[in-house]
Amino acid sequence: MNETELILAIESSCDETSVAVVENGEKILSNIVASQINSHKRFGGVVPEVASRHHVEQITICIEEALTEAAVEAKDLQAVAVTYGPGLVGALLIGLSAAKAFAWANGLPLLPINHMAGHIYAARLVEPLEFPLMALLVSGGHTELVYMEQDGSFEIIGETRDDAAGEAYDKVGRVLGLSYPSGKEIDELAHQGEDTYDFPRAMIKEDNFDFSFSGLKSAFINLTHNAEQRGEVLEHKNLAASFQASVVEVLVTKTVKACKTYPVKQLIVAGGVAANRGLREEMARVLSQELPATKLIVPPLRLCGDNAAMIGAAAHVELQKQHFAGMTLNADPSLAFQHI
């Protein structure tokens, strides 16, 4: 194998078509992301059929752009990596088909990558990972605490029992009349308001590392609905601040408790909700107070959302282990890590 390892990575699990070229699992040579947010905004969420059609239109353009920007050709590559789950089955299949075709046409091995592993490995594009480590994965569909004893080993020690944190943000955003996706707007409003409504902190004292955000979402909806019926006007900034305070306190408390129970060298906060400023600030503050020896790594905003560079970073480990897939590789929309 060449000294320089180049992987072409493809990500199409939801509503971003992305292709990247990653060198040695840590250096981004290109990371093309075609977002579909404007197409889904009017529906207030991702429409699978619309997402799949967009992926079909964008995928070959993104592959060409990624190779051009990285200034590499197919013959320079060592492998093709692709997200095969979890995600929307139709969307995943477009990326899989493109990856298989490219790998087959160019005689390259195919690496199957778990989308959530990609989110964790986005941290490797920031700095080298040191094990054992803990990862808090917070995205639209997932809220999980993942313990990693070594490269490529993922064990769920806690997860949400109902809504993921990102889902709760989107549902609350809809009630507040914000456009989809509403996480960024809620975060901005929260920084201008105060926690005056004191929403519940579900499961915060329970002796486990699981989460629950369904009760918080219901409490929020009931409060706003009752106020509406009485003709009361609630302060949106304070509503956002109160909602976010509850989410952040639960996430931070449970995560820090997990890092004390499983002594780790690093804590990675990854996924779409990792872009939340309130969560970043509070996690950094509490961790530095309670576990100053544990290093916090949060990927930059451009690597928190779905992107192919993180898939390329995760693929580096799979290539070392020679975890290749055949051309029969299929999408696994509910692919999951193992539970401890």
Side-chain angles (χ1 to χ4, degrees):
M1 186 179 281
N2 303 355
E3 277 185 36
T4 303
E5 170 203 286
L6 296 174
I7 293 176
L8 180 80
I10 295 175
E11 154 63 36
S12 69
S13 64
C14 190
D15 62 338
E16 260 91 19
T17 314
S18 183
V19 182
V21 177
V22 177
E23 183 181 312
N24 299 334
E26 58 190 21
K27 186 180 176 189
I28 302 172
L29 300 189
S30 63
N31 190 23
I32 308 300
V33 181
S35 175
Q36 307 174 7
I37 281 177
N38 290 337
S39 298
H40 298 284
K41 245 180 189 162
R42 60 198 166 112
F43 303 111
V46 177
V47 180
E49 176 64 19
V50 173
S52 300
R53 286 171 187 267
H54 275 289
H55 288 310
V56 171
E57 290 166 13
Q58 297 291 336
I59 194 85
T60 49
I61 300 166
C62 289
I63 291 172
E64 284 167 20
E65 276 188 38
L67 290 169
T68 304
E69 192 177 299
V72 300
E73 296 174 29
K75 63 178 172 54
D76 304 318
L77 301 168
Q78 273 68 58
V80 178
V82 63
T83 302
Y84 75 106
L88 302 171
V89 67
L92 288 164
L93 286 169
I94 310 301
L96 271 168
S97 302
K100 285 181 191 176
F102 191 95
W104 182 80
N106 295 288
L108 291 164
L110 186 67
L111 297 166
I113 307 299
N114 182 320
H115 176 76
M116 303 316 290
H119 274 303
I120 294 173
Y121 274 91
R124 195 164 184 268
L125 300 165
V126 179
E127 62 182 275
L129 303 186
E130 291 178 35
F131 301 95
L133 65 79
M134 188 70 66
L136 170 66
L137 277 173
V138 268
S139 68
H142 295 80
T143 301
E144 297 169 348
L145 276 167
V146 182
Y147 176 65
M148 291 183 69
E149 212 160 9
Q150 59 193 33
D151 251 333
S153 143
F154 308 92
E155 294 173 339
I156 295 177
I157 62 161
E159 63 187 333
T160 182
R161 295 190 181 176
D162 38 62
D163 286 18
E167 280 177 288
Y169 267 91
D170 287 335
K171 286 170 181 172
V172 161
R174 212 171 293 161
V175 175
L176 290 175
L178 306 176
S179 62
Y180 173 86
S182 48
K184 190 167 182 276
E185 276 188 82
I186 292 174
D187 190 19
E188 284 167 6
L189 283 171
H191 276 82
Q192 299 162 32
E194 291 173 24
D195 179 8
T196 54
Y197 294 106
D198 194 28
F199 287 119
R201 270 68 167 159
M203 297 179 68
I204 199 163
K205 290 190 166 69
E206 286 193 25
D207 191 23
N208 57 42
F209 304 111
D210 287 344
F211 305 94
S212 168
F213 296 106
S214 179
L216 167 62
K217 176 200 68 185
S218 300
F220 187 97
I221 291 169
N222 291 340
L223 177 77
T224 48
H225 183 64
N226 291 340
E228 213 174 276
Q229 286 185 321
R230 291 196 299 268
E232 279 178 37
V233 178
L234 301 177
E235 175 52 70
H236 276 203
K237 289 173 184 174
N238 290 349
L239 277 172
S242 302
F243 167 76
Q244 179 151 299
S246 173
V247 174
V248 168
E249 190 180 337
V250 170
L251 289 175
V252 171
T253 304
K254 290 263 180 172
T255 303
V256 171
K257 182 175 141 189
C259 291
K260 286 177 176 173
T261 309
Y262 294 81
V264 290
K265 293 176 182 172
Q266 294 175 334
L267 166 64
I268 295 169
V269 179
V273 183
N276 184 286
R277 188 157 62 99
L279 176 59
R280 285 168 172 249
E281 289 169 353
E282 186 63 6
M283 190 70 83
R285 186 187 72 78
V286 176
L287 199 69
S288 67
Q289 273 182 0
E290 300 199 24
L291 290 169
T294 304
K295 178 78 193 281
L296 175 65
I297 308 175
V298 189
L301 297 182
R302 66 194 167 86
L303 296 175
C304 286
D306 293 348
N307 68 91
M310 68 184 197
I311 302 303
H316 169 75
V317 180
E318 299 307 304
L319 182 57
Q320 301 295 313
K321 295 183 175 181
Q322 304 227 314
H323 283 170
F324 301 128
M327 289 295 149
T328 54
L329 177 66
N330 203 353
D332 186 347
S334 49
L335 181 67
F337 296 137
Q338 69 182 87
H339 285 77
I340 284 188

